[in-house]
């Protein structure tokens, strides 16, 4: 019988604030140390709503920076299942088609689960799932530069489409939903995903939690 409590850590903040890099660094550096099944990672982006009923031009007009663009109820349900030591089938989102892939991916139960995304702290039901809430407090001009570099290289988007989306939805939604959610954070991290001191501090906390879970599991 499994007798430890799963710890879920939210890493939130603006688009291109360093959330994914920070979470991925924690995962990559701790996995070899803690072992398989000890730590896993989930992206809120995987839970963008299925839009197969819309045409591609219609999908391109959706405000993807509004909370309603996400199926937060499904994400909350999955987090509750993971808390109960049950694996889930997470959706896979395609940025080129702006909808979910027909395939899904298994998110296995783990002692420590990292969840990264822009709206995690803006949703009450999600906040209640998290044991530790982190907010990446990166200046918007830095986020915009990173977003341009990322979307042009990885998502084959034009500069004009990126800046248009930024002005129409990304920036307004940041001030309406994301920045106010910072008040719910336990830790506010500056200087982005490469802040080594912040990485080491959180790694130390995760090591402590993992050690306590091992003691409970074998006691």
């Amino acid at each position: 019988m499994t007798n430890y409590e799963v710890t879920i850590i939210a890493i939130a903040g603006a688009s291109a604030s360093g959330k994914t890099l920070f979470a991925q660094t924690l995962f990559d550096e701790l996995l070899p140390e803690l072992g398989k099944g000890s730590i896993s990672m989930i992206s809120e982006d995987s839970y963008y709503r299925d839009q197969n009923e819309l045409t591609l031009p219609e999908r391109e007009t959706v405000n993807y920076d509004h909370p309603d663009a996400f199926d937060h109820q499904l994400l909350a349900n999955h987090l509750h299942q993971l808390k109960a030591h049950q694996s889930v089938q997470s959706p896979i989102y395609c940025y080129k088609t702006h909808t979910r892939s027909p395939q899904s991916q298994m998110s296995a139960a783990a002692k420590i689960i990292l969840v990264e995304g822009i709206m995690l702290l803006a949703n009450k039901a999600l906040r209640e799932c998290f044991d530790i809430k982190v907010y990446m407090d990166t200046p918007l001009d830095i986020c915009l530069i990173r977003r341009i570099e990322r979307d042009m290289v990885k998502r084959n988007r034009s500069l004009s489409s990126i800046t248009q989306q930024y002005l129409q939805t990304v920036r307004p939604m940041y001030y309406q939903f994301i920045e106010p959610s910072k008040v719910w954070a336990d830790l506010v991290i500056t200087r982005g995903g490469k802040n080594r001191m912040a990485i080491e501090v959180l790694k130390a906390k995760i090591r402590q939690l993992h050690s306590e879970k091992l003691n409970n599991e074998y006691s």
Side-chain angles (χ1 to χ4, degrees), residues 67 71 81 199:
D71 189 346
Q81 287 179 255
I199 291 169

Side-chain angles (χ1 to χ4, degrees), residues 41 46 53 90 141 169 186 208:
M41 181 173 159
S46 298
E53 76 282 1
S90 297
D141 57 346
T169 63
D186 302 304
Q208 176 194 341

Side-chain angles (χ1 to χ4, degrees), residues 40-44 47 75 79 82 90 107 113-116:
S40 65
M41 181 173 159
I42 294 176
S43 173
E44 181 190 31
Y47 290 82
L75 176 54
L79 294 179
L82 290 165
S90 297
S107 295
I113 299 172
L114 307 174
V115 187
E116 61 88 15

Side-chain angles (χ1 to χ4, degrees), residues 30-213:
L30 284 168
L31 180 61
E33 177 183 336
L34 303 183
K36 185 178 179 180
S38 293
I39 187 167
S40 65
M41 181 173 159
I42 294 176
S43 173
E44 181 190 31
D45 281 8
S46 298
Y47 290 82
Y48 273 119
R49 293 188 181 279
D50 189 347
Q51 302 190 114
N52 284 313
E53 76 282 1
L54 302 179
T55 65
L56 184 57
E58 288 173 331
R59 295 174 200 168
E60 291 173 345
T61 66
V62 171
N63 181 356
Y64 293 98
D65 298 282
H66 192 281
D68 289 346
F70 298 93
D71 189 346
H72 282 148
Q73 184 60 60
L74 178 61
L75 176 54
N77 290 344
H78 281 181
L79 294 179
H80 283 297
Q81 287 179 255
L82 290 165
K83 279 262 191 184
H85 309 281
Q86 301 170 6
S87 297
V88 300
Q89 289 294 325
S90 297
I92 297 175
Y93 182 77
C94 177
Y95 294 99
K96 292 183 178 179
T97 60
H98 304 292
T99 191
R100 288 183 190 169
S101 164
Q103 289 78 36
S104 61
Q105 58 187 352
M106 189 184 77
S107 295
K111 295 179 177 68
I112 309 290
I113 299 172
L114 307 174
V115 187
E116 61 88 15
I118 62 174
M119 292 289 174
L120 298 178
L121 304 187
N123 183 281
K124 184 176 184 294
L126 286 179
R127 287 198 304 270
E128 292 174 350
C129 296
F130 303 130
D131 302 286
I132 300 174
K133 297 179 285 293
V134 177
Y135 183 90
M136 307 298 292
D137 195 10
T138 304
L140 272 192
D141 57 346
I142 302 298
C143 293
L144 175 58
I145 293 169
R146 291 175 179 170
R147 186 183 176 97
I148 290 171
E149 292 175 344
R150 179 197 68 192
D151 287 4
M152 291 185 73
V153 173
K154 295 184 178 181
R155 300 179 186 174
N156 197 31
R157 295 186 58 195
S158 66
L159 177 60
S160 61
S161 71
I162 297 168
T163 54
Q164 181 181 17
Q165 183 184 19
Y166 179 81
L167 293 173
Q168 289 182 349
T169 63
V170 177
R171 190 173 184 273
M173 296 301 98
Y174 168 79
Y175 283 116
Q176 185 174 351
F177 297 106
I178 301 173
E179 197 275 340
S181 75
K182 179 170 65 174
V183 68
W184 300 105
D186 302 304
L187 297 171
V188 176
I189 294 173
T190 60
R191 296 189 285 117
K194 294 182 180 180
N195 186 329
R196 281 308 311 182
M197 182 57 72
I199 291 169
E200 294 302 330
V201 167
L202 203 50
K203 281 171 62 177
K205 180 60 178 177
I206 291 172
R207 288 190 191 101
Q208 176 194 341
L209 291 168
H210 183 260
S211 177
E212 291 172 356
K213 292 175 196 304

